Every structure is written in C-alpha cells, then in structure tokens.
Amino acid sequence: MEMTINPVFDKKPGQPVIIAGPCSAESEEQVLKTAKALAKQGIDCFRSGIWKPRTRPGSFEGVGEIGLNWLKTVKQETGLPVTTEVANREHVFAALKAGIDVLWLGARTTVNPFSVQEIADALKGTDIPVLIKNPINPDVKLWMGAIERISKAGISRIGVIHRGFSSFGNSKYRNEPRWQLPIELKRLVPGIQIICDNSHICGRRDILGAVAQKAMDLQFDGLMTEVHPNPDEAWSDAAQQITPAVFGKLVKALKVRVATTDDVEYLEHIDDLRHEIDGIDKDLFELLGKRMTAAESIGKYKKKNNISILQASRWSEILNKTIELGREKGLSDGFVTQILTAIHQESINHQTQIMNEPAKKGGKKVKA
Ligand code: PEP
Ligand code: MN
C-alpha cells in the first residue's frame, strides 16, 4: 500500500527528538513539576499516561480524563506539546477535545487490529500526529498493519516507537529489543520517524543510557523516556523511571551520529570501503552458489544409492569444524551457527527437490 508519511516532529539531522515524562500522571503537581524541569532541558514533547493498560488487574489503571486537564496546564505553563496513550474511541475523542498534540498507541493496542481500526475510525477527519508502538510480539506485519490503518484514516504525520518485545524466561531486558525488527520496519517504511522507548525495553535504570546510545548508533530519530520527580514512589513502572536531573545527564552523554556528511575526503574514502564490501559480498554469493551446486551433486548421488539426505554426524562435524574456523577469524559461535544452519537448510532444500523429482521419461519403469 502506498502511504504518504510525514514526520511527526521537525528536527535537523543530528538532533534527536526527545519525549519524556512520567509513566502515569498521578497528580497535577507531579505532572507539572516534571514538565517544568524537562522544559528547562529543552525537550520536544511531554508524555504522560492517563489510561494505563496494565498486565494484571488491581494495579493502578490511570487517573482517567481528569489527567487531560493537567496536560492542558502543562501546555499552558511550559509551552511543551503533550502526548498521551489512547486505546479506544472514547480516549481519542476526549484527547482531541482537550487539545492533546500527539497521540500514541500502546503495545497492547497495536497487537489488536480491531482496536487499531476503532481508533483509526475515530481519527477520520482530523490531522493529529500519531505514534505507534510496536506490538508486544515480534511481528513486523502487525506493526505495519497498524501504520496502514492509521494512514488510511487520513493521518499523514505518523511515527513509530520501538519499546521491545515480550519474552519468556530470564533476560536483562524487560522487553527484548530485537533491533532487527525496527530496522526492518525502517526498510519497509523509509523515512518514518522512529523513537526508542528505552524505559520499557530496559525495565530498569542502569542500562537506559546504553540502550539510548544503541538507538542513536542505529540512526533512530529520538527517545521516549519515563521521568518522574520521585521514581521510587511512582505508581507504575517505578523500577525504570529516573529523575529529570538523571535524564538530563543521559541526554547530554548521548553521542548522536549523522547519516552522512558533505566532507569530500570522508565521502571518497567511504566509497572505496563500500566498494570493497560490495566485492566481498559478490564473492561470498558466488561461492554460496558453487556450494549449492556441489550439494546438488551429492543429492543426485545419494538418490542413486538410496541414501537419506540428513546425516546428523556429518552435520555436527561440519558445524564444529566451522565454529573452530570462525573463532580463528574473530567470528562469534552464535553467528557461525546461525549462518551455517541457514546454508545447511538451503542445501537440504535443494537436495529434497532433487530427491522428489519424478523419474525422467525413458528411465526404469516401476512395475505396478
Ligand atoms: C507506557 O508507555 O507507559 C506503556 C504502557 O507502554 P507500552 O505500551 O510500551 O507497554
Ligand atoms: Mn510505563
């Protein structure tokens, strides 16, 4: 689907979009205190949740509509644009009426096409910018689907927020970042602004800076971080929130890298290096092609002798040998295993095709 997507925030290259504010609005005083401290730091947009989608009942579910008035006060007193999460039609109408500047769809909303469509329908005829968080499961199509639904409703300023993906078991993250997914989304929707929600990826304070830096290194357009005047006392997501002062330091420490420069020497040198990489990729794929031809010959030979395609001991021998070779070349065991597994699978596919080819005419006739 052809989409016209315009940036949600106007920023110069090399200047990240900074969205910050508490996970939840708790009182007018807490919201205003946070916003004033953040406004001094020159952030671009103030966030606060007022309808909170909590995993289990019994947790604080947000202050509701009264919070919209507090956000209005933030706008009036600090001049900052404000954003909040909407999860259904009523939220959209209330937020539009209150003059909220930007809406965001939470991870538990993006996952549900019925909810996204309900929101899209409620947005028809407006031009409010919308940020769409990734769904909780690692499904780029679902994320794309939400962008398409909102775009079809006539919204042109759309951005996305990467907040990580649910997983089971131990992890240092609350939500696994799985960076290849937002990178793939960027490839599918070139130019869409992508914001890193380091708070929900990390779920803890000590690695917020590292994740924010990683996002900058991957050419993300900005950050959304949860900031609270008294994080330990926060009514939701206490473990991941930081004070405005700590947040200010985090932003200052970021090294923001630009996509390119007009420095002639850099451009010439990078061109040479890229040329070298392109040549290596070409050799790599020529070799892979040769490997498949060799695998096909083996397939034909096995077929003739009625031998099975997969021999576990041979596979394990190749894998161990290659991991060893990889180590000598500075390649991680995980990388070698992943790439060799993919190559092996492709060989099996080629051999399976050969095994299943019907016998050529003129070949031996099988008696019925
Ligand atoms: C939030 O931003 O506070 C929130 C609920 O996030 P998510 O939808 O990413 O869980
Ligand atoms: Mn939160």
Side-chain angles (χ1 to χ4, degrees):
M1 182 188 138
E2 269 304 307
M3 289 189 285
T4 312
I5 294 196
N6 295 323
V8 172
F9 300 94
D10 291 325
K11 292 293 274 191
K12 292 199 192 82
Q15 279 187 354
V17 175
I18 305 290
I19 308 170
C23 175
S24 304
E26 298 164 7
S27 67
E28 183 160 34
E29 191 205 351
Q30 167 247 11
V31 167
L32 209 54
K33 192 171 169 189
T34 319
K36 281 184 177 164
L38 290 168
K40 273 198 206 137
Q41 297 174 11
I43 68 163
D44 300 288
C45 185
F46 181 76
R47 69 148 277 157
S48 184
I50 58 175
W51 297 289
K52 301 301 297 178
R54 305 313 301 279
T55 303
R56 302 183 65 183
S59 324
F60 170 60
E61 290 185 332
V63 293
E65 274 196 40
I66 189 169
L68 292 172
N69 296 334
W70 306 343
L71 288 175
K72 271 202 240 175
T73 313
V74 164
K75 263 183 88 162
Q76 278 159 9
E77 298 219 359
T78 65
L80 284 175
V82 292
T83 181
T84 198
E85 172 173 353
V86 290
N88 61 33
R89 175 188 303 120
E90 285 72 35
H91 295 167
V92 172
F93 293 145
L96 288 171
K97 202 166 148 218
I100 300 296
D101 301 281
V102 177
L103 303 180
W104 93 74
L105 268 60
R108 291 164 197 78
T109 302
T110 309
V111 87
N112 183 349
F114 287 125
S115 301
V116 176
Q117 192 56 52
E118 176 180 319
I119 292 168
D121 292 340
L123 286 169
K124 277 186 189 144
T126 77
D127 64 354
I128 188 165
V130 178
L131 296 168
I132 303 173
K133 288 207 182 193
N134 65 259
I136 48 177
N137 57 327
D139 185 341
V140 177
K141 288 208 183 101
L142 209 46
W143 203 356
M144 278 293 290
I147 299 168
E148 286 166 351
R149 284 177 200 278
I150 300 296
S151 169
K152 269 175 107 169
I155 300 294
S156 66
R157 284 172 297 165
I158 301 176
V160 290
I161 302 173
H162 170 228
R163 53 76 80 192
F165 303 89
S166 288
S167 66
F168 178 67
N170 288 341
S171 166
K172 73 173 181 176
Y173 301 105
R174 177 177 175 194
N175 291 294
E176 290 287 334
R178 306 180 77 143
W179 297 100
Q180 66 275 26
L181 277 106
I183 290 170
E184 173 63 3
L185 189 90
K186 241 171 125 64
R187 191 183 69 81
L188 293 170
V189 195
I192 195 162
Q193 282 184 327
I194 180 157
I195 307 289
C196 171
D197 173 347
N198 53 343
S199 301
H200 291 90
I201 290 176
C202 298
R204 53 195 254 195
R205 295 173 196 146
D206 58 331
I207 52 173
L208 286 171
V211 167
Q213 185 58 54
K214 170 98 179 178
M216 295 302 109
D217 295 346
L218 293 174
Q219 283 287 309
F220 276 50
D221 298 281
L223 275 189
M224 181 194 255
T225 304
E226 289 185 344
V227 175
H228 192 286
N230 194 356
D232 286 335
E233 303 299 317
W235 297 0
S236 59
D237 291 351
Q240 69 199 29
Q241 301 207 59
I242 50 177
T243 61
V246 171
F247 179 65
K249 281 191 201 140
L250 184 153
V251 173
K252 263 210 181 109
L254 283 181
K255 288 185 206 72
V256 181
R257 316 204 199 268
V258 289
T260 190
T261 153
D262 38 25
D263 183 89
V264 177
E265 199 193 313
Y266 167 86
L267 291 174
E268 276 174 8
H269 193 52
I270 195 80
D271 223 40
D272 290 348
L273 292 172
R274 284 187 173 149
H275 198 68
E276 190 185 339
I277 288 274
D278 289 350
I280 295 172
D281 283 350
K282 190 165 169 278
D283 292 350
L284 213 55
F285 281 90
E286 254 159 35
L287 271 176
L288 282 174
K290 263 193 197 163
R291 192 191 190 282
M292 288 311 147
T293 312
E296 282 167 11
S297 306
I298 294 182
K300 282 180 198 147
Y301 197 56
K302 282 181 182 166
K303 184 177 183 180
K304 207 166 136 201
N305 291 283
N306 204 25
I307 307 284
S308 68
I309 295 177
L310 184 70
Q311 269 125 37
S313 58
R314 167 77 179 138
W315 164 233
S316 151
E317 179 197 319
I318 298 180
L319 186 59
N320 291 336
K321 240 182 5 197
T322 317
I323 285 181
E324 209 42 61
L325 185 70
R327 284 184 190 157
E328 282 167 29
K329 306 284 172 204
L331 305 173
S332 71
D333 294 6
F335 170 71
V336 172
T337 307
Q338 230 181 349
I339 199 156
L340 201 65
T341 305
I343 293 173
H344 185 233
Q345 186 57 54
E346 182 74 5
S347 294
I348 291 178
N349 295 348
H350 281 239
Q351 293 191 359
T352 307
Q353 216 175 0
I354 287 170
M355 289 279 184
N356 295 332
E357 260 167 18
K360 284 200 188 96
K361 270 192 187 153
K364 269 192 210 160
K365 289 224 171 82
V366 181
K367 278 189 188 158

